[in-house]
């Protein structure tokens, strides 16, 4: 029997506010434990929360960017449970009236497009952090994160494959980064993902029993964990067993999901409206002023690059995924660079170096001006395409401009025909065997001769002239 | 039994006698509150809050936090700068 998976994602994204959701404590990551707390966020009796307006704006901004309905009225609720990282004994969250209702995100995977529905986006406070010491019967609690504004984005069960789940996460991350509401740092936990997954025989309408997977803190792990879990559920069914509804943790080291062995008792959160917080009303004029501050979104930019610059869709998608990359690219285009050539360099050498150095495009020494100037040198024949790779790396490392690098390193292309001819003659004289074999029909030896000439000239000989001369002389 | 579930949610340990006692008392309270259902509210708008006020906000402005020593002052147990609690694995 063929099975299909049904996947829904819940994404938690920390908002880029300076202060916590209900108090003026800093949200800065990585500070000394318990140095960013106050009576409100550590739940001292009598302390009262006051809503950070920026947190509301950021959630509404996200909702608008993800095509969500914005209901006029929203309110906050208490979700009651006991855990050491939750000082008040309840989390302030939203239940029946979230800030954003139904919406969607469009994803593309291997050239095909799909629309994934969103159920809702709501705002809540993050919990603190428990640090479990390996041995011993104690845990340490750091409450710096308690009260950091967190938005939860819930997708419809529209996702069918682990690949689609990863594509959805990537698109979502690209949008929240573009509009500046979340830094999207999965390693530091500012973007976290839980998945609900079930399987059913293909063609069946009714949903199977689902499990919830937690602790997937990279795109790769989202894909791997879902892949494992889908196989596990199918195997269970095929062996005549049944899937039980439970929470499972992704174990990175072992590459499997493991049951958290929760108690049989289902959670009973006893949600009720929080009496300490007033309802929030988003009137149309407020929503409109938030919408005005939404930067051009990746999808729109991507379509524009295809239409305006004639870029292939895959190029456009990669370049627009990161706002800073797209901005950089557009600056270079404005300076006169050919869009497709720029795209090749950005997605090729530049992406490779940035990846190696774990840097963003804006952090490196290379500017759009540098790249465009170098492309002019190639076009004018001052340097060859091959040498350009050396020039590019040097510009990237040092921040020097192309002309300076070419001059300092003596990389000017040799286009003087007589000079090259001398070298070609020398190479042919030194390789009588190869010459004979070439004349005997082994034409692929051309590459060998070009290579020898390039070696002699440290790659600076104009390849066009070298090829012409070889053809003439052989 | 309902009272055991409620006690568990509040992390309370009740003796058998107490279970009987509170079961009866909580039942009485719920019956009393049930009176509200006798009112006809079909023409009344649902209220989100008892005060007629919306959008009470603060600006996203930093204020100084508690010194760590102060924050940890009431902690029953601590480990350097951390609160120390019994290990809980869900």
């Amino acid at each position: 029997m063929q099975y299909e998976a049904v996947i829904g994602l819940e994404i938690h994204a920390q908002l880029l506010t300076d202060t916590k959701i209900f108090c003026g404590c800093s949200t800065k990551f990585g500070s000394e434990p318990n140095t960013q707390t106050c009576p409100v966020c550590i739940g001292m009796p009598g302390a009262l929360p006051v809503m950070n307006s920026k947190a509301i704006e950021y959630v509404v901004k996200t909702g608008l960017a993800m095509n969500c309905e914005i209901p006029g009225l929203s309110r906050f609720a208490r979700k009651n449970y006991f855990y050491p990282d939750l000082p008040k004994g309840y989390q302030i969250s939203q239940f029946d009236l979230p800030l954003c209702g139904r919406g969607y995100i469009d994803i593309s995977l291997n050239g095909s497009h799909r629309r994934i529905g969103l159920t809702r986006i709501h705002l809540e406070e993050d919990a603190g952090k428990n640090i479990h010491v390996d041995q011993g019967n104690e845990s340490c609690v750091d409450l710096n994160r308690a009260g950091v504004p967190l938005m939860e984005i819930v997708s419809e069960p529209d996702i069918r494959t682990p690949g689609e789940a990863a594509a959805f996460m990537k698109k979502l991350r690209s949008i929240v980064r573009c509009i500046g509401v979340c830094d999207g740092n999965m390693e530091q936990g500012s973007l976290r993902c839980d998945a609900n997954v079930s399987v059913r025989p293909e063609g069946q309408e009714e949903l199977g029993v689902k499990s919830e997977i937690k602790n997937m803190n990279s795109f790769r792990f989202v894909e791997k964990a879902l892949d494992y879990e889908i196989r596990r559920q199918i195997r269970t069914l095929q062996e005549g067993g049944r899937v039980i509804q439970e929470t499972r943790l992704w174990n990175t080291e072992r590459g499997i999901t493991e049951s958290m062995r929760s108690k049989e008792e289902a959670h009973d959160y006893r949600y009720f409206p929080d009496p300490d917080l007033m309802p929030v009303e988003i009137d149309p004029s407020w929503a409109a002023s938030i919408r005005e501050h939404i930067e051009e979104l990746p999808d729109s930019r991507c379509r524009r690059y295809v239409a305006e610059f004639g870029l292939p869709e895959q190029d456009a998608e990669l370049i627009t995924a990161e706002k800073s990359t797209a901005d950089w690219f557009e600056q270079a285009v404005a300076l006169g660079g050919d869009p497709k050539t720029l795209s090749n360099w950005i997605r090729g050498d530049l992406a490779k170096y940035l990846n190696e150095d774990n840097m963003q495009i804006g952090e490196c020494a290379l500017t759009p001006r540098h790249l465009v100037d170098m492309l002019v040198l190639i076009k004018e024949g001052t340097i060859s395409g091959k040498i350009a790779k050396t020039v590019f790396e040097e510009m990237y490392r040092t921040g020097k401009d192309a002309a300076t690098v070419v001059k300092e390193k003596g990389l000017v292309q040799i286009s003087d025909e007589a000079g090259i001819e001398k070298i070609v003659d020398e190479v042919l004289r030194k390789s009588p065997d190869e010459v004979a074999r070439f004349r005997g029909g082994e034409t692929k030896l051309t590459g060998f001769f070009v290579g020898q000439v390039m070696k002699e000239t440290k790659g600076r000989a104009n390849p066009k002239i070298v090829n012409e001369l070889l053809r003439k002389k052989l | 039994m309902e009272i055991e579930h409620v006690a568990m949610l509040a992390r309370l340990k009740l003796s058998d006698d107490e279970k009987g006692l509170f079961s009866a008392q909580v039942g009485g309270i719920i019956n009393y509150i049930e009176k509200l259902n006798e009112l006809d509210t079909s023409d009344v708008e649902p209220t989100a809050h008892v005060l007629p006020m919306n959008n009470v906000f603060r600006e996203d402005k930093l204020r100084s936090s508690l010194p760590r020593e102060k924050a940890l002052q009431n902690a029953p147990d601590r480990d350097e700068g951390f609160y120390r609690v019994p290990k809980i694995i869900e």
Side-chain angles (χ1 to χ4, degrees):
Chain A
M1 200 189 312
Q2 285 294 99
Y3 287 89
E4 77 167 352
V6 177
I7 302 165
L9 297 180
E10 284 171 20
I11 284 115
H12 285 95
Q14 276 182 3
L15 298 177
L16 279 174
T17 52
D18 292 332
T19 66
K20 293 188 180 180
I21 180 169
F22 300 126
C23 62
C25 288
S26 170
T27 53
K28 195 163 153 264
F29 180 85
S31 303
E32 284 291 302
N34 295 304
T35 53
Q36 289 163 195
T37 69
C38 74
V40 172
C41 58
I42 56 178
M44 291 289 180
L48 287 171
V50 187
M51 180 63 71
N52 182 340
S53 57
K54 192 119 219 183
I56 300 281
E57 270 180 42
Y58 279 0
V59 175
V60 172
K61 194 175 183 185
T62 307
L64 291 170
M66 297 182 183
N67 316 291
C68 291
E69 295 161 11
I70 310 294
L73 196 73
S74 182
R75 68 172 167 187
F76 290 83
R78 292 186 181 179
K79 178 180 179 179
N80 298 279
Y81 66 94
F82 289 120
Y83 207 68
D85 60 16
L86 189 75
K88 293 192 294 294
Y90 60 86
Q91 178 193 30
I92 301 179
S93 179
Q94 297 198 273
F95 188 58
D96 59 347
L97 296 171
L99 281 164
C100 311
R102 286 183 172 275
Y104 62 85
I105 289 178
D106 289 327
I107 60 167
S108 70
L109 187 64
N110 310 321
S112 69
H113 299 261
R114 282 204 66 205
R115 176 161 290 182
I116 307 296
L118 299 180
T119 315
R120 59 187 275 160
I121 306 177
H122 72 245
L123 176 60
E124 60 190 25
E125 56 179 335
D126 207 345
K129 222 177 196 168
N130 283 329
I131 295 133
H132 302 292
V133 190
D134 277 343
Q135 269 106 33
N137 290 313
E138 274 126 8
S139 298
C140 289
V141 183
D142 172 11
L143 294 180
N144 281 350
R145 203 180 63 182
V148 169
L150 196 63
M151 78 182 153
E152 180 173 327
I153 303 168
V154 183
S155 91
E156 290 284 291
D158 288 349
I159 298 165
R160 292 289 170 268
T161 65
E164 280 182 10
F168 176 84
M169 277 296 286
K170 282 182 193 162
K171 180 52 94 44
L172 184 145
R173 180 175 183 271
S174 150
I175 294 172
V176 295
R177 282 175 59 84
C178 168
I179 61 176
V181 299
C182 172
D183 66 17
N185 190 326
M186 295 185 77
E187 262 166 58
Q188 290 180 0
S190 37
L191 193 68
R192 316 196 276 268
C193 172
D194 300 337
N196 287 303
V197 55
S198 63
V199 299
R200 63 181 173 194
E202 225 159 70
Q204 179 182 307
E205 198 51 38
E206 196 193 331
L207 292 172
V209 178
K210 67 178 182 185
S211 60
E212 187 183 3
I213 313 174
K214 291 179 178 284
N215 198 33
M216 303 172 289
N217 61 353
S218 77
F219 297 127
R220 208 161 53 88
F221 292 155
V222 168
E223 221 168 327
K224 281 181 136 181
L226 285 170
D227 191 56
Y228 176 87
E229 181 60 16
I230 291 164
R231 283 168 200 275
R232 187 191 70 85
Q233 291 189 10
I234 292 175
R235 200 172 53 235
T236 304
L237 295 176
Q238 280 172 341
E239 287 167 356
R242 56 189 193 94
V243 175
I244 53 169
Q245 183 160 350
E246 62 179 346
T247 303
R248 299 179 70 86
L249 270 189
W250 169 245
N251 183 322
T252 309
E253 279 97 63
R254 300 180 59 195
I256 61 172
T257 62
E258 296 171 312
S259 174
M260 281 177 79
R261 286 185 297 276
S262 322
K263 289 176 206 117
E264 283 302 296
E265 187 128 18
H267 284 293
D268 183 353
Y269 292 126
R270 293 149 292 146
Y271 282 98
F272 65 88
D274 191 310
D276 290 342
L277 289 160
M278 298 298 143
V280 171
E281 194 188 346
I282 314 280
D283 61 33
S285 70
W286 191 10
S289 77
I290 294 172
R291 192 188 288 277
E292 262 173 44
H293 290 96
I294 296 180
E295 295 76 356
E296 186 183 13
L297 294 167
D299 277 349
S300 144
R301 238 177 170 175
C302 180
R303 282 192 296 271
R304 189 161 63 78
Y305 286 9
V306 173
E308 247 177 64
F309 303 136
L311 280 190
E313 191 175 316
Q314 273 204 313
D315 285 42
E317 262 172 29
L318 276 161
I319 288 186
T320 54
E322 196 61 58
K323 182 178 179 292
S324 54
T325 310
D327 290 344
W328 202 96
F329 168 79
E330 281 189 39
Q331 282 174 41
V333 172
L335 290 169
D338 169 61
K340 178 59 185 156
T341 313
L342 288 168
S343 161
N344 292 346
W345 282 98
I346 292 171
R347 290 177 306 113
D349 294 48
L350 184 53
K352 187 183 86 187
Y353 295 135
L354 289 172
N355 199 20
E356 281 169 8
D357 297 340
N358 198 13
M359 277 204 306
Q360 297 289 323
I361 202 163
E363 295 166 355
C364 74
L366 186 84
T367 66
R369 172 98 262 165
H370 290 149
L371 178 54
V372 172
D373 285 352
M374 187 189 83
L375 297 185
V376 171
L377 292 184
I378 300 175
K379 210 167 175 191
E380 287 172 344
T382 310
I383 55 172
S384 68
K386 192 153 184 280
I387 286 292
K389 284 178 142 351
T390 312
V391 176
F392 185 89
E393 182 172 3
E394 188 66 13
M395 294 195 302
Y396 170 86
R397 304 263 173 240
T398 63
K400 288 177 185 165
D401 62 49
T404 308
V405 171
V406 168
K407 210 162 93 192
E408 281 182 5
K409 299 227 148 194
L411 294 171
V412 177
Q413 179 161 258
I414 306 169
S415 295
D416 138 48
E417 199 167 328
I420 297 178
E421 189 168 5
K422 246 186 245 163
I423 297 159
V424 169
D425 287 343
E426 179 71 10
V427 165
L428 294 182
R429 195 180 57 75
K430 277 202 258 174
S431 327
D433 289 354
E434 283 81 0
V435 172
R437 276 163 58 203
F438 181 91
R439 291 189 172 136
E442 258 188 79
T443 47
K444 64 171 193 287
L445 277 169
T446 313
F448 166 80
F449 295 119
V450 174
Q452 291 300 307
V453 175
M454 287 302 177
K455 204 171 148 198
E456 288 299 315
T457 57
K458 296 194 176 68
R460 293 182 317 144
N462 183 325
K464 213 171 127 209
I465 298 176
V466 174
N467 276 306
E468 268 165 25
L469 284 169
L470 281 169
R471 205 174 316 128
K472 233 189 301 179
K473 293 190 179 273
L474 281 164
Chain B
M1 221 165 62
E2 193 77 358
I3 200 72
E4 282 175 351
H5 177 65
V6 174
M8 195 279 297
L9 289 174
R11 301 295 186 271
L12 294 174
K13 204 174 203 165
L14 301 182
S15 68
D16 284 347
D17 285 353
E18 284 170 326
K19 278 179 201 165
L21 178 69
F22 293 137
S23 202
Q25 286 185 351
V26 170
I29 293 167
I30 289 170
N31 282 339
Y32 181 67
I33 299 292
E34 280 290 315
K35 262 191 189 313
L36 287 173
N37 281 339
E38 291 167 20
L39 275 176
D40 179 10
T41 55
S42 50
D43 288 338
V44 183
E45 279 276 308
T47 350
H49 205 279
V50 291
L51 298 176
M53 216 194 284
N54 285 341
N55 296 2
V56 179
F57 296 132
R58 46 171 277 271
E59 271 185 72
D60 187 26
K61 281 227 172 78
L62 266 179
R63 287 178 57 175
S64 49
S65 295
L66 279 179
R68 178 156 71 186
E69 277 314 303
K70 267 227 143 90
L72 286 164
Q73 210 169 14
N74 292 328
D77 195 7
R78 58 185 286 186
D79 181 352
E80 306 267 324
F82 291 98
Y83 298 89
R84 185 154 60 188
V85 299
K87 190 167 191 166
I88 293 184
I89 294 170
E90 208 186 333

